[in-house]
């Protein structure tokens, strides 16, 4: 019988653009306060891409760090899966643009659009290719320039988002890595969280509200908390595991209150949850790989430990991945 193949992490990286926009800076743009933002979201600041700096620029920096940590030749990467809601161009995909930057040719490269769950979707896809022997080394990226689809005059949304990129290299191994992934969607919630227009709909509109994120925050909040605890239980059940076997929760970084509520339902202490939302707000598909990279690089996550990654976002989409580091 052939040995089981797992996807194991061999490198991670993250990149945040230089410019920082604090809550106090936002006080000068809209009617809000540092205190309100901290209390409702846990966010203190966000990073904003410089003029002309694109999603691919951020992704390139994060990917180079992951490649450096893994100590591999980029030419040995045999697939790029790129999660983003803010691609540089309608086409080619940002994955193809990144492939060019990394000097790789020939391997498949494609984007995934599942908004804040994009990275978890991308990990799930990568894992299917690795498990079946179709790919040996896959670069999975989550990168966004959400500042470009944010209405900076709308205080109900502009306080929540920021730009950034995270990258993870997975490699085929006979040692346990990803144990399972679970991805879902329910399109009926379209209007709770969306950008009203796109290349095929109202392309000529100059209305800022058509081109930027609109959200019914309160309703999103409730569905997010319930869905995230449900997916955690689904993941544990699929692996015949119990909550106490999780060492780390690496959640999508949208709102500290969502993260805390989910961790509480799982019975995890604050010390077992990686929180970065205070430093860079919600970066959509970039948030999980950036949090993972931070906790790996600072030594919190140790080899052999069990990590639960989970995310929820527009669509609605939601998903999880359970893995051994
Ligand atoms: N500053 C000051 N006051 C504000 C602001 C602001 N930036 N925004 C809204 N308010 C006011 C509202 O107008 C309202 O005033 P009113 O009572 O006079 O009508 C009051 O604050 C309360 O507003 P709510 O929307 O009820 O506030 P809530 O406690 O729900 O917090 C928030 C809003 C932070 C958006 C919260 O609902 C949330 O985080 N939701 C989740 C949304 C999210 O994270 N989406 C990201 C994508 S999905 C995901 O990644 C999970």
């Amino acid at each position: 019988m052939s040995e089981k193949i797992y996807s194991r992490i061999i490198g991670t990286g993250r990149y945040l653009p230089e410019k920082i926009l604090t809550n106090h800076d936002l006080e000068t743009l809209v009617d809000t306060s540092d205190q309100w933002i901290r209390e409702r979201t846990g966010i203190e600041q966000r990073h904003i891409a410089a003029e002309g700096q694109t999603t691919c620029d951020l992704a390139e920096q994060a990917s180079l760090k992951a490649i450096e940590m893994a100590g591999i030749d980029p030419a040995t990467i045999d697939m790029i899966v790129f999660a983003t809601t803010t691609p540089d161009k309608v086409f080619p995909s940002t994955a193809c643009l990144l492939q060019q930057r990394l000097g790789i040719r020939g391997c498949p490269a494609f984007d995934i659009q599942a908004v804040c769950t994009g990275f978890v979707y991308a990990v799930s896809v990568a894992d299917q290719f690795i498990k079946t022997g179709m790919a040996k080394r896959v670069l999975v990226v989550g990168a966004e320039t959400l500042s470009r689809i944010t209405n900076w005059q709308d205080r109900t949304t502009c306080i929540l988002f920021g730009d950034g990129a995270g990258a993870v290299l997975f490699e085929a191994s006979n040692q346990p890595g990803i144990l399972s992934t679970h991805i879902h969607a329910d399109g009926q919630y379209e209007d709770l969280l969306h950008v009203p227009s796109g290349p095929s709909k109202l392309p000529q509109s100059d209305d800022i509200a058509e081109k930027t994120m609109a959200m019914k925050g309160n309703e999103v909040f409730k569905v997010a908390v319930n869905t995230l605890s449900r997916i955690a239980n689904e993941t544990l059940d699929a692996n015949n595991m119990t909550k106490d076997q999780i060492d780390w929760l690496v959640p999508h970084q949208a709102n500290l209150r969502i993260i805390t509520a989910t961790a509480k339902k799982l019975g995890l202490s604050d010390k077992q949850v990686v929180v970065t939302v205070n430093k860079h707000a919600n970066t959509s598909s970039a948030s999980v790989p950036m949090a993972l990279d931070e906790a790996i690089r600072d030594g919190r996550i140790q080899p052999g430990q069990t990590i639960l990654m989970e995310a929820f976002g527009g669509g609605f989409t939601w998903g999880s991945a359970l893995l051994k580091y």
Side-chain angles (χ1 to χ4, degrees):
M1 207 174 78
S2 61
E3 265 187 64
K4 190 168 176 182
I5 306 172
Y6 293 95
S7 313
R8 275 188 71 80
I9 294 174
I10 56 166
T12 61
R14 70 182 187 280
Y15 180 77
L16 285 159
E18 252 174 61
K19 183 183 169 190
I20 291 175
L21 191 70
T22 65
N23 292 348
H24 291 294
D25 294 331
L26 279 176
E27 286 172 354
T28 66
L29 293 179
V30 288
D31 180 16
T32 191
S33 70
D34 175 51
Q35 193 192 350
W36 192 96
I37 302 172
R38 279 176 198 256
E39 282 176 9
R40 303 281 173 133
T41 70
I43 296 165
E44 293 160 26
Q45 60 177 42
R46 66 285 296 139
H47 290 245
I48 305 292
E51 207 183 319
Q53 193 175 32
T54 67
T55 295
C56 192
D57 293 329
L58 310 187
E60 182 183 0
Q61 296 306 318
S63 301
L64 290 174
K65 288 181 188 162
I67 289 166
E68 187 187 29
M69 185 195 277
I72 59 139
D73 177 352
T76 62
I77 293 170
D78 53 17
M79 176 178 280
I80 300 174
V81 191
F82 196 128
T84 189
T85 305
T86 46
D88 288 27
K89 299 184 172 188
V90 172
F91 70 86
S93 69
T94 322
C96 287
L97 303 180
L98 179 65
Q99 187 197 43
Q100 184 193 129
R101 302 274 187 96
L102 297 177
I104 312 170
R105 299 176 80 178
C107 75
F110 53 94
D111 286 4
I112 283 194
Q113 157 61 303
V115 204
C116 300
T117 319
F119 179 76
V120 174
Y121 265 62
V123 166
S124 185
V125 170
D127 186 41
Q128 310 312 314
F129 277 89
I130 290 176
K131 278 196 305 202
T132 53
M134 294 278 289
K136 291 205 159 41
R137 218 168 240 178
V138 183
L139 176 64
V140 182
V141 178
E144 304 283 4
T145 43
L146 291 182
S147 60
R148 308 269 155 75
I149 55 164
T150 299
N151 181 351
W152 292 101
Q153 280 137 36
D154 177 2
R155 70 171 183 174
T156 66
T157 53
C158 76
I159 57 152
L160 297 172
F161 302 103
D163 302 334
V168 179
L169 265 165
F170 288 96
E171 187 176 74
S173 168
N174 53 18
Q175 297 302 310
I178 295 179
L179 303 175
S180 69
T181 61
H182 306 263
I183 52 176
H184 298 279
D186 188 343
Q188 71 173 315
Y189 294 105
E190 174 189 355
D191 291 339
L192 291 191
L193 181 57
H194 65 140
V195 174
S197 82
S200 163
K201 191 163 180 259
L202 302 175
Q204 270 87 43
S205 174
D206 284 329
D207 182 357
I208 183 82
E210 287 291 335
K211 298 189 225 171
T212 52
M213 288 179 279
M215 181 182 66
K216 298 197 174 95
N218 241 318
E219 291 170 58
V220 174
F221 191 98
K222 280 181 228 150
V223 186
V225 173
N226 288 329
T227 309
L228 286 169
S229 40
R230 224 175 41 239
I231 188 96
N233 289 325
E234 176 190 331
T235 312
L236 290 171
D237 289 349
N239 292 283
N240 289 320
M241 286 172 68
T242 49
K243 294 169 182 177
D244 56 312
Q245 290 174 283
I246 300 173
D247 294 302
W248 291 101
L249 176 66
V250 182
H252 169 47
Q253 310 284 321
N255 180 316
L256 185 60
R257 283 158 59 217
I258 297 179
I259 295 173
T260 311
T262 311
K264 205 171 153 198
K265 286 196 177 190
L266 276 172
L268 295 174
S269 78
D270 290 352
K271 289 203 178 93
Q272 292 173 281
V273 185
V274 182
V275 174
T276 55
V277 69
N278 54 318
K279 290 183 276 194
H280 55 63
N282 183 349
T283 56
S284 193
S285 67
S287 91
V288 171
M290 285 205 291
L292 184 69
D293 179 62
E294 182 168 312
I296 286 175
R297 283 181 190 265
D298 69 19
R300 272 179 287 172
I301 293 179
Q302 287 292 313
Q305 288 190 321
T306 303
I307 306 165
L308 176 64
M309 304 193 292
E310 58 169 23
F312 178 89
F316 288 150
T317 55
W318 63 99
S320 65
L322 190 72
L323 58 113
K324 290 260 180 217
Y325 179 57

